[in-house]
């Protein structure tokens, strides 16, 4: 039923976007002086692409700031922009791409698509210790999708982005190389700060979070992430009690909450354990600022 509904929405969106393009006349077409467009899925990707692409492209996100990538549906104007794009850079496995990518690409067959998750050591949701190297074949729904939440993965995303830009614009390859090297050094510097701060921290190595968006961050820095949600849903009373017990036993002092999720369960746990609630936004455009914000919360607990 969800697929049928999505299909109907896509037909309506395509019809609406055709009307917008027709009504726009010449205004719907890029002038020779306007920069070509690259479309990405989420805001953190825009950070990486803009850092390397510089002034050569306009970069637009399909999932805008403040939207939930699991449930977001594109608007007609975005389909117009997508049709005018030079390329699409996907992040890998998040909900929006699982729901929309195939159908969007069928309606823009000219569009080059690049997977910026290629080469990432993936975490499988159904088994904490299992990783998968590879493509999107098989059980992609089982993959932990928030790959950008670690410096190790950020370096891979940056490299994939650099290669993609060179593939679509070979004439400016040297320009992209200079900017890629600068971004790579910046990511490595951010990583060194995080490693230093966490190494010298005497606080708990465990933290709690409503939606487990910091799985790669936790893995790469030797931390334990405890998710409040249960199978993607609100925790049951029994599970909530287990979370309170885990919070106490592992001396959790920080509970991270994202803006698109309800804080009530986090508040319940906080009241019973004394853990502090900290707001974070893993979908923030400023990747390094957000990673350092998470680190500071962990070391000042």
């Amino acid at each position: 039923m969800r697929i049928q509904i999505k299909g109907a929405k896509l037909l309506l969106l395509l019809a609406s976007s055709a009307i917008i393009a027709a009504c726009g006349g010449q205004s719907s077409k890029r002038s020779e002086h306007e920069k070509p467009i690259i479309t990405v899925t989420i805001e953190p990707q825009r950070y990486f692409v803009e850092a390397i692409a510089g002034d050569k492209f306009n970069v637009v996100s399909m999932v805008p700031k403040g939207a939930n990538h699991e449930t977001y549906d594109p608007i007609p104007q975005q389909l117009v922009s997508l049709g005018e794009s030079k390329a699409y850079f996907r992040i890998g496995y998040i909900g929006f791409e699982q729901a929309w990518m195939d159908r969007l690409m069928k309606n823009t067959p000219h569009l080059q698509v690049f997977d910026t998750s290629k080469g990432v050591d993936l975490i499988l949701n159904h088994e904490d210790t299992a990783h998968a190297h590879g493509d999107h074949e098989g059980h992609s729904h089982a993959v932990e999708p928030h790959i950008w939440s670690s410096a190790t993965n950020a370096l891979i995303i940056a490299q994939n982005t650099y290669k993609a830009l060179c593939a679509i614009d070979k004439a400016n390859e040297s320009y992209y190389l200079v900017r890629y090297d600068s971004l790579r050094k910046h990511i490595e510097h951010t990583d060194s700060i995080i490693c230093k701060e966490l190494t010298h921290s005497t606080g708990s190595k465990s933290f709690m979070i409503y939606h487990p968006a910091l799985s790669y961050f936790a893995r790469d820095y030797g931390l334990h992430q405890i998710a409040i949600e249960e199978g993607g849903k609100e925790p049951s009373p029994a599970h909530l009690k287990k979370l309170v017990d885990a919070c106490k036993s592992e001396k959790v002092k920080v509970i991270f909450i994202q803006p698109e999720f309800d804080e009530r369960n986090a508040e319940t746990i906080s009241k019973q354990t004394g853990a502090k609630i900290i707001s974070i936004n893993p979908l923030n455009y400023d990747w390094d600022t957000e990673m350092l914000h998470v680190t500071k919360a962990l070391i000042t607990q």
Side-chain angles (χ1 to χ4, degrees):
M1 180 62 71
R2 179 176 173 80
I3 294 176
Q4 293 177 340
I5 293 173
K6 287 288 187 182
K9 285 184 177 180
L10 180 58
L11 289 174
L12 289 172
L13 283 167
L14 290 171
S16 299
S17 61
I19 293 172
I20 290 174
C23 292
Q26 293 299 318
S27 64
S28 68
K29 299 178 181 179
R30 288 190 300 106
S31 72
E32 294 180 359
H33 301 291
E34 289 182 358
K35 289 182 286 187
I37 299 171
I38 288 177
T39 300
V40 300
T41 303
I42 54 174
E43 283 291 283
Q45 278 182 287
R46 187 165 67 86
Y47 169 91
F48 294 114
V49 179
E50 288 185 343
I52 302 174
D55 60 3
K56 303 302 180 184
F57 288 93
N58 281 325
V59 186
V60 297
S61 302
M62 286 297 287
V63 181
K65 181 179 179 180
N68 186 337
H69 67 77
E70 297 291 339
T71 58
Y72 183 75
D73 292 334
I75 62 175
Q77 187 58 52
Q78 288 180 295
L79 298 184
V80 174
S81 177
L82 181 63
E84 296 175 347
S85 296
K86 181 79 171 180
Y88 190 107
F89 292 4
R90 64 180 296 168
I91 193 63
Y93 300 87
I94 66 173
F96 176 83
E97 292 179 352
Q98 296 297 313
W100 286 98
M101 275 303 290
D102 288 346
R103 281 164 286 172
L104 290 176
M105 293 307 100
K106 285 179 181 178
N107 287 280
T108 51
H110 67 284
L111 197 61
Q112 296 184 75
V113 180
F114 297 91
D115 182 1
T116 60
S117 72
K118 186 176 181 181
V120 170
D121 184 13
L122 300 169
I123 297 174
L124 302 185
N125 282 326
H126 67 270
E127 185 177 350
D128 290 342
T129 58
H131 297 168
H133 300 265
D135 53 30
H136 299 282
E137 299 298 326
H139 305 290
S140 60
H141 62 280
V143 172
E144 165 51 46
H146 307 89
I147 65 167
W148 62 93
S149 67
S150 82
T152 298
N153 291 351
L155 287 171
I156 295 173
I157 293 170
Q159 184 180 55
N160 287 334
T161 299
Y162 162 67
K163 290 179 178 178
L165 287 167
C166 291
I168 63 177
D169 184 20
K170 292 184 181 298
N172 288 302
E173 187 170 338
S174 59
Y175 174 84
Y176 299 135
L177 179 59
V178 171
R179 297 185 66 88
Y180 164 63
D181 283 340
S182 177
L183 176 60
R184 179 176 52 80
K185 291 175 183 177
H186 183 74
I187 294 171
E188 290 172 346
H189 178 65
T190 300
D191 180 46
S192 68
I193 294 174
I194 295 173
C195 287
K196 180 180 178 181
E197 296 290 354
L198 292 178
T199 298
H200 291 88
S201 174
T202 58
S204 173
K205 295 296 183 182
S206 298
F207 64 88
M208 197 164 280
I209 185 170
Y210 185 85
H211 181 67
L214 296 176
S215 299
Y216 294 95
F217 183 92
R219 182 189 69 184
D220 290 356
Y221 296 113
L223 304 171
H224 181 207
Q225 173 184 253
I226 304 171
I228 293 177
E229 68 177 19
E230 184 179 18
K233 300 178 181 178
E234 291 282 317
S236 64
H239 185 64
L240 195 60
K241 183 181 183 306
K242 289 181 181 179
L243 289 172
V244 170
D245 292 340
C247 196
K248 291 178 179 178
S249 65
E250 298 197 33
K251 298 180 173 57
V252 171
K253 300 299 182 184
V254 175
I255 303 173
F256 291 120
I257 187 75
Q258 299 99 310
E260 65 267 31
F261 297 103
D262 196 328
E263 292 188 23
R264 286 177 295 180
N265 288 299
E267 290 171 350
T268 297
I269 297 171
S270 175
K271 289 177 181 178
Q272 296 187 44
T273 64
K276 186 177 181 180
I277 296 176
I278 302 291
S279 295
I280 63 170
N281 184 9
L283 291 171
N284 191 358
Y285 167 84
D286 295 312
W287 173 85
D288 56 333
T289 299
E290 195 62 28
M291 292 299 94
L292 292 173
H293 172 55
V294 169
T295 302
K296 182 178 179 181
L298 291 170
I299 65 174
T300 57
Q301 55 183 290

